[in-house]
Amino acid sequence: MRHLAIALCALALSVAAPSAAWSQSTGQILGRVLEADTRQPVATADVNIEGTDLHVLTSERGDFIFVSVPTGEHKLRVSRIGFAHTVVTVLVRASRSTQLTIELSTAPVEVEGVTAEVEKVRLIEPDVTVTHEVILGTELRELPVDNVEQVVELTVGVSDGRFRGGRVGQEVYRIDGLEVKNQSEAATQGAGLELAPSSIEEIEVVTGGFGVDNGAALSGVVSYVTRRGSPERWQGRASLSGDHWAPSDLSWGFTGLSMSLGGPLKFLGAGSTIFGDLLFQGLVDGDARARGLTCLEPEDGDVDLAAEIDALSSSPTAGHLYCPYTSSRLPYQRGDKMIAFLRFDQPLHRNVDMFLTFLYNRRQQELYTPEFKYNPVYQLGQRTKGYLANLTIDWSTHRAGQAYRVVARAAAMRLDRHLGAVDPWTFDERGRVAGFGLSDFRFLGEEFVRAPIEEQLASGQAVPGYVRPGGSTGTPFGPAAEGIFFTEGAPDIANWNVTDFIGGDLIGEILSSAGHAIRAGAMTRLYEIESYERTLAYLPGSLPSYARFYPTTVAGWAEAELLAAHDVTIQIGARFEGFRSGISFSEDRVDFLSPVIDTDWHTLFLPRVGVAVPVPGTYGRTMFRFNYGLVAQAPDFRFFLDTTLGDSLRTDIRRQGNPNLTFERGTSWEIGLDQLLGERLSLGVTGYMKELNNLITSSLTFSGFAENQFTTGDFGSVRGVELTLRGSWPAFDFRIGYALSSAKGVTSSAFEDPGGGLTERRLEFPLAFDRRHSIDLTLLAGRAAGSTERKWGITGTAALRSGYPLDRRVELVDDVVPEIDERLPWTHWLNLRTTWDFGRPPGCAGCSFRAVLDARNIFGQDNVIALRRDTGSLAPSLEDLQAIAGEVPDDMEPIPLESPRYSSQVDLNADGLITADEMRTGRFAAALDRNDPSLFFGPGSSLRLGIEIQF
């Protein structure tokens, strides 16, 4: 009851105080109206935003301010008796202030004047103290991408979901200002929820200098602003693309269908809008690799292994056993994705707006497992379903020179992931169109493993449908494949995880047209986590690992933003963070007599400062920024449980969970300089350093904690320099970024026996995600860059990156620590998307349609993204393969033709008997086949055709 009382108090706090993530879905406009001839301020001029009921009168200084302005293009109409009316077009971005000066010309007779000033790309941002990248929705929908993660990857400093050297999970995601971090499994499952690119108005990726409204992150913040329906007319879009028509080596079996529709609901009053978006994707190979299903080739290993592979492949009697099954696509990767999004906007009063969003995700896919390559019935698969509902009420009022705003938000989310053996019905009888099926995957025994844990323990039975894996009949290696491939039975794991939360946010702010602002806020999240894992699920009496607990997180913040003399922007703020795991269990979960841990609240105070300064004498062409702050995040909740996890320091060993882990913390410094090289070109330079403390690892032992228990005892640092060049012309935009970084971690026992005691030796080596060099390029031309005069459009994305540190598992040799200086190879790719607009289709005057050609990895690079930890190559050692072959005893009884285990493939001399030598040859070939390096490569080439219709 005490826990419940604390949780209820935290929820009450969230609806009684301002909250974080307040402004991520709307923006502000700060302006001043001057007389054109005299440059004197124009007071009491009427300024209104067309299509809305937002209007204010300018102050005595000619200032005005708008808050809660929807993102996108807007027309500002400015009028006053004795002056010509003026209309100015502005581009409003989420959580940012757009500053402008409007000049009015005197006119004895009122004359309408129009000024169109759409800032397509902000080359210099005079009021921004952070390092960030903004991708507008109009640009996003032109890029050769399938999901928003690929867009985030184009940001300087982001590689493979890692932000500036951090591991996956050290970032936070926001949807319309709502923090939606997958707190339960962020370190392995990423964001958890996904938005379709066609449902997004804007993406902002912050890699450094987080404001106080951004918490729960060490390395990055990704904010999505969703689209809303037009208040003026109905608009829609539909697209269909696929690569099934292409040659097999240029096809992933991809089909994508996207549909969007939005517009006004006039029967509910002015300003009421609705927007809906649906995305369907069918996947034959949902994790495409450049070499598809391949085999070990001579160049993949050392010279000794190469000689053995050459001998096997050239053998007149055994050559057929080398590489018997290859394909341009990986088998057993079928799956589909569905994303549905709905947004409803409704003005409740002149100063009160409400919007409601609902997001649904379903992603499901078979998972290629080499051991089950030849299993005709059972494969491993995963399904993830998610729901997010968000209700936001926004109150604002404008007075001469000032604005006041309060935002209240309530949200609920569920993430449900199931991993297990796929029921054969899923692909034998489940209806599919172009690879997509409306019904969910079925998994063996899912109803049983989701039943109350007491019922499972009482039954003592195996998971229904699971059969012990075994057999070898059906492989090209016959009995020689026993224990290497399983052609009978099913994968032996059943695992699921459900995360629910309800949350509340409330914020308040006061803004002045002079550019000053005071903000404060608070938030809370009340979680329920259920985690289940059962290995050897085919075995009666095998016990599942199950946990249910109720974590709580709370945060509060306050910030002052000042616009000082000479347009200097200063942000000073502080953030309070708190969390509690909500778990009580034994200190030693093996000993039922050990003391019980009752976890406490963990709290932190995080000050943050940011400054943006126009360099004097440069007339606004050179900007300097600086920021400093403490950052922190609560541990991923799975660290609280017994688990196997690859942490930042790469110990990757099963350890006992720790319900009392504290925050992972960091200190961040950053300086940046932006220079306008011309009217269309800018260059940015950023230097940063992060000191990471309390990194979660499993390599230390502290008083009060059991050995091999997760602790926050290690630390690291990340240093880097980033260069960004961007340009914008009427029919061409580009940006290119280069990042140079070094990420190192310090640990005491990365190489010692996990069961041994604490040593005093401390070792420093590269963190697992130390990406030294990376270059990213994005370009848009023609219609894709906003040029409506051209029928063609071209977009391209490219990357060139050095490899991560090779994740080796090594041991001390004569008490000497070996050097870990090996790295994965460099990778690079280029994607291009071209479009041709055909204009209006027959019978639809308000429509337009165009053809799309989308090419991925057009140079066909293999891109090695991983290597074996033991050998540092794509292949195991010859000794390991020979050891598998040597498991056949010399005195093995020959297998005659009459035996059910007999296979003509392994009877190399066709004499009706399989001898020990023939079994060893077959077993060596099976071991080679089992160790195919398919999963060590990046995506292959793909060529897609599509059509898009807009109305």
Side-chain angles (χ1 to χ4, degrees), residues 305-355:
L305 180 59
E308 289 295 323
I309 292 177
D310 287 335
L312 178 65
S313 61
S314 60
S315 170
T317 58
H320 63 279
L321 293 179
Y322 171 67
C323 207
Y325 177 24
T326 62
S327 171
S328 60
R329 294 195 290 252
L330 285 181
Y332 311 119
Q333 291 281 81
R334 296 165 294 185
D336 51 44
K337 176 193 295 185
M338 179 170 64
I339 302 176
F341 174 77
L342 183 67
R343 173 166 178 159
F344 170 65
D345 288 80
Q346 173 67 53
L348 300 180
H349 187 266
R350 182 177 178 275
N351 296 328
V352 183
D353 294 313
M354 178 203 75
F355 73 84

Side-chain angles (χ1 to χ4, degrees), residues 586-604:
S586 298
E587 182 179 82
D588 184 350
R589 297 175 70 182
V590 176
D591 180 5
F592 69 93
L593 296 177
S594 66
V596 173
I597 300 173
D598 190 9
T599 56
D600 298 320
W601 279 91
H602 297 277
T603 59
L604 275 181

Side-chain angles (χ1 to χ4, degrees), residues 293 324-325 368-375 469-488 922-932:
L293 180 60
Y325 177 24
Y368 167 68
T369 310
E371 298 94 319
F372 288 81
K373 181 191 306 186
Y374 298 103
N375 192 311
S472 61
T473 303
T475 74
F477 314 101
E482 291 175 353
I484 299 176
F485 294 105
F486 303 122
T487 58
E488 300 173 2
R923 196 161 179 80
F924 180 82
L928 273 178
D929 194 51
R930 162 61 182 79
N931 285 280
D932 76 80

Side-chain angles (χ1 to χ4, degrees), residues 139-152:
E139 173 185 335
L140 172 63
R141 289 183 283 279
E142 298 289 344
L143 294 175
V145 296
D146 297 325
N147 53 60
V148 292
E149 292 178 2
Q150 294 171 352
V151 180
V152 175

Side-chain angles (χ1 to χ4, degrees), residues 396-592:
S396 62
T397 184
H398 303 81
R399 298 176 184 174
Q402 285 190 324
Y404 305 86
R405 186 183 182 203
V406 176
V407 176
R409 180 182 295 115
M413 185 181 79
R414 161 166 284 203
L415 289 174
D416 186 317
R417 179 188 54 76
H418 190 97
L419 173 70
V422 180
D423 190 319
W425 170 93
T426 297
F427 291 102
D428 294 341
E429 302 178 37
R430 177 174 174 263
R432 300 190 306 278
V433 177
F436 180 85
L438 289 175
S439 57
D440 291 352
F441 274 18
R442 291 184 184 176
F443 292 90
L444 298 179
E446 180 175 2
E447 183 177 349
F448 176 83
V449 300
R450 288 182 180 270
I453 192 68
E454 296 81 7
E455 296 181 12
Q456 297 185 47
L457 297 176
S459 72
Q461 67 182 83
V463 176
Y466 274 76
V467 179
R468 180 189 296 270
S472 61
T473 303
T475 74
F477 314 101
E482 291 175 353
I484 299 176
F485 294 105
F486 303 122
T487 58
E488 300 173 2
D492 62 359
I493 187 170
N495 175 293
W496 56 265
N497 185 286
V498 177
T499 301
D500 294 301
F501 85 65
I502 58 173
D505 299 345
L506 190 70
I507 65 94
E509 62 175 334
I510 303 173
L511 302 98
S512 76
S513 57
H516 309 311
I518 298 176
R519 308 181 182 100
M523 60 165 284
T524 189
R525 300 287 184 267
L526 306 177
Y527 290 89
E528 180 185 40
I529 309 293
E530 286 188 279
S531 176
Y532 177 100
E533 181 178 70
R534 182 166 179 172
T535 57
L536 304 180
Y538 58 83
L539 188 66
S542 63
L543 297 179
S545 174
Y546 174 78
R548 179 193 289 128
F549 57 107
Y550 303 90
T552 301
T553 62
V554 296
W557 57 271
E559 177 184 61
E561 180 176 336
L562 307 175
L563 185 61
H566 306 292
D567 294 327
V568 176
T569 299
I570 303 173
Q571 291 178 324
I572 303 175
R575 182 179 179 90
F576 165 83
E577 288 272 2
F579 87 92
R580 186 180 186 180
S581 67
I583 304 177
S584 297
F585 62 83
S586 298
E587 182 179 82
D588 184 350
R589 297 175 70 182
V590 176
D591 180 5
F592 69 93

Side-chain angles (χ1 to χ4, degrees), residues 224-401:
Y224 302 113
V225 179
T226 61
R227 295 175 66 185
R228 64 180 71 194
S230 168
E232 300 173 358
R233 66 186 183 91
W234 282 87
Q235 297 174 321
R237 174 183 176 273
S239 67
L240 177 66
S241 64
D243 61 8
H244 290 267
W245 60 274
S248 59
D249 58 345
L250 294 176
S251 171
W252 302 348
F254 172 88
T255 302
L257 173 64
S258 172
M259 298 178 290
S260 303
L261 181 64
L265 299 175
K266 295 184 179 179
F267 64 91
L268 293 178
S272 298
T273 64
I274 193 169
F275 175 82
D277 185 87
L278 286 171
L279 175 68
F280 303 94
Q281 290 180 352
L283 310 167
V284 174
D285 186 351
D287 192 14
R289 302 299 173 122
R291 276 173 57 171
L293 180 60
T294 184
C295 53
L296 283 172
E297 298 175 357
E299 60 270 21
D300 292 337
D302 58 25
V303 292
D304 293 334
L305 180 59
E308 289 295 323
I309 292 177
D310 287 335
L312 178 65
S313 61
S314 60
S315 170
T317 58
H320 63 279
L321 293 179
Y322 171 67
C323 207
Y325 177 24
T326 62
S327 171
S328 60
R329 294 195 290 252
L330 285 181
Y332 311 119
Q333 291 281 81
R334 296 165 294 185
D336 51 44
K337 176 193 295 185
M338 179 170 64
I339 302 176
F341 174 77
L342 183 67
R343 173 166 178 159
F344 170 65
D345 288 80
Q346 173 67 53
L348 300 180
H349 187 266
R350 182 177 178 275
N351 296 328
V352 183
D353 294 313
M354 178 203 75
F355 73 84
L356 173 66
T357 62
F358 179 78
L359 175 64
Y360 169 75
N361 280 196
R362 190 197 69 185
R363 302 189 299 273
Q364 46 193 14
Q365 179 185 320
E366 279 186 294
L367 303 175
Y368 167 68
T369 310
E371 298 94 319
F372 288 81
K373 181 191 306 186
Y374 298 103
N375 192 311
V377 180
Y378 295 112
Q379 298 295 327
L380 190 66
Q382 180 171 283
R383 180 188 64 232
T384 302
K385 299 177 74 171
Y387 310 83
L388 173 67
N390 175 19
L391 173 65
T392 299
I393 297 177
D394 188 328
W395 172 87
S396 62
T397 184
H398 303 81
R399 298 176 184 174

